Amino acid sequence: MKVFCEVLEELYKKICMFQNSDKLLSHMAAQCLALLLYFQLREKITLSNSWIAFCQKNLSEYSESNKAIYCLWTLTAIIKEIFKDSCSQKTEILKQFLTHFDTIFEVFYNSLFSQHFENCRDTSKIVNILMCFLDLLELLIASRIHLKLHFTCQRILFLKPSCMLEVITWPIQAFVKRKVIIFLKKCLLCKVGEDLCRGSVPALMPPDHHVAVDMLALANAVLQAVNSGLLKTLSVYEKHSFFGGDEVQPECELITSPDHVILRAASLVIMKSLEIKFQNYSSASEVKGNSPNSFCMQCVIIYLSTVIHNYQISGLV
């Protein structure tokens, strides 16, 4: 077994050499490394210390580098393999894996969402890192719901939801904001990771008090953001995408239309947040109280006015 572990360690070092400008090669190397590491996890072989140190270093010292993306690719692929496996020990396997990265994921979350996007030298890199991290975060939350684990990294969104909501105000591309809103929708509807979990978990799961508390925290953060006017920075008005770029010939008319995907997702986020908020009032008399009821109605009015404003811009109203 010792010789076998030494061979794995050498293979890991060779795979890490593929961190170069060839993105396809780097991605394939990450996939291969993920399969190798998952094999170690499943066979209860100690994970490569050099790889763990490599990830911890590059995720704790956040920078606009390809190394952070490389780590996120690999980590995401490993958790996907755990989900896809039909073995009965997947919870224990994931527990063993997350033990090494629980703290570092929280550090990375805080570092990533504290970035001043407008001051970044290369905005494409922070966009790539953000998109990769959202995929990883979705799997972490899904593993909490479906595999009943309770690591801090699985709760970080619910502990600090305002960080994620602030992305909507960033001067960033519309598709990133769309990704964030759809991600929040999946969280509130408990639909995270459903493409990987389908058929592997019962349709009706017993209620989890800890998850319910976190969902309420997220719902409160969403409603507070709406009340503070955060969604006024979100426009459902966008240009159509064109193959090869967004430039059109001078003789062609530039076609624009509202982004119905963002509109539907944002509507569901607001409605589900309101539903969670009302469900957690202790009595019917509380719902009739002026303060909570007025707050929720104010959120609805602000959101509807935002939607109408965007539709007026697009010429549909």
Side-chain angles (χ1 to χ4, degrees):
M1 182 62 72
K2 181 179 179 181
V3 175
F4 181 67
C5 291
E6 290 175 355
V7 172
L8 289 178
E9 186 74 15
E10 288 301 316
L11 181 57
Y12 157 74
K13 291 177 181 177
K14 292 182 184 298
I15 290 176
C16 280
M17 290 173 64
F18 292 150
Q19 301 169 61
N20 55 33
S21 57
D22 190 328
K23 294 183 179 180
L24 178 59
L25 186 59
S26 294
H27 184 72
M28 293 302 296
Q31 294 294 325
C32 293
L33 180 58
L35 291 172
L36 170 62
L37 292 166
Y38 177 64
F39 173 77
Q40 290 181 276
L41 285 168
R42 179 159 183 176
E43 297 302 318
K44 298 181 180 180
I45 301 173
T46 304
L47 287 177
S48 166
N49 290 327
S50 54
W51 179 76
I52 293 174
F54 174 81
C55 286
Q56 290 178 340
K57 179 179 185 298
N58 286 285
L59 294 180
S60 62
E61 300 173 1
Y62 171 78
S63 63
E64 300 169 38
S65 69
N66 291 327
K67 290 183 179 180
I69 296 178
Y70 182 86
C71 293
L72 294 173
W73 275 351
T74 308
L75 294 166
T76 302
I78 292 172
I79 299 178
K80 283 184 178 179
E81 290 300 321
I82 295 174
F83 265 112
K84 290 189 292 184
D85 200 327
S86 58
C87 74
S88 59
Q89 302 297 318
K90 61 173 64 179
T91 300
E92 288 302 317
I93 293 173
L94 184 61
K95 183 178 180 180
Q96 177 190 349
F97 174 68
L98 291 181
T99 300
H100 298 287
F101 300 101
D102 188 31
T103 303
I104 209 65
F105 284 153
E106 182 179 1
V107 172
F108 184 78
Y109 181 95
N110 294 332
S111 178
L112 175 62
F113 292 107
S114 64
Q115 297 298 308
H116 296 287
F117 183 80
E118 61 276 6
N119 297 332
C120 294
R121 295 188 302 273
D122 187 351
T123 58
S124 63
K125 285 187 177 180
I126 191 173
V127 167
N128 288 336
I129 291 174
L130 177 59
M131 298 294 278
C132 290
F133 187 62
L134 286 176
D135 290 336
L136 176 60
L137 201 57
E138 180 176 351
L139 290 175
L140 290 173
I141 296 171
S143 67
R144 180 191 180 192
I145 295 173
H146 297 285
L147 301 182
K148 302 299 182 183
L149 290 174
H150 299 284
F151 284 88
T152 302
C153 64
Q154 298 170 298
R155 300 186 59 216
I156 187 63
L157 168 69
F158 306 99
L159 296 175
K160 301 179 180 180
S162 59
C163 296
M164 181 74 69
L165 289 165
E166 283 296 321
V167 176
I168 297 174
T169 66
W170 288 6
I172 202 168
Q173 293 93 325
F175 74 88
V176 180
K177 297 183 180 183
R178 178 190 292 191
K179 175 91 171 178
V180 169
I181 292 174
I182 292 176
F183 172 70
L184 293 172
K185 181 195 73 173
K186 287 182 178 181
C187 292
L188 288 166
L189 297 178
C190 291
K191 297 291 186 180
V192 284
E194 60 179 348
D195 54 332
L196 292 173
C197 303
R198 187 177 296 131
S200 62
V201 292
L204 295 176
M205 299 175 63
D208 188 320
H209 171 71
H210 300 289
V211 172
V213 170
D214 282 351
M215 288 297 178
L216 177 59
L218 179 58
N220 282 334
V222 169
L223 294 176
Q224 290 286 353
V226 174
N227 190 49
S228 64
L230 182 67
L231 286 183
K232 290 181 180 180
T233 64
L234 177 67
S235 175
V236 300
Y237 182 66
E238 71 165 9
K239 297 184 293 184
H240 277 300
S241 298
F242 296 92
F243 182 76
D246 58 359
E247 297 296 328
V248 294
Q249 297 298 321
E251 64 273 12
C252 298
E253 181 181 358
L254 181 62
I255 304 174
T256 57
S257 69
D259 186 343
H260 295 286
V261 174
I262 287 186
L263 180 61
R264 286 193 297 267
S267 299
L268 277 172
V269 166
I270 301 301
M271 288 189 291
K272 188 62 182 179
S273 297
L274 288 168
E275 178 187 344
I276 293 172
K277 183 73 172 178
F278 279 116
Q279 285 176 344
N280 282 273
Y281 288 139
S282 60
S283 65
S285 59
E286 262 190 273
V287 177
K288 295 180 181 179
N290 292 328
S291 180
N293 195 40
S294 299
F295 170 73
C296 291
M297 287 305 299
Q298 185 177 359
C299 290
V300 173
I301 292 171
I302 291 173
Y303 174 66
L304 289 177
S305 65
T306 303
V307 173
I308 294 173
H309 172 69
N310 281 285
Y311 265 72
Q312 286 175 334
I313 293 176
S314 62
L316 297 180
V317 176

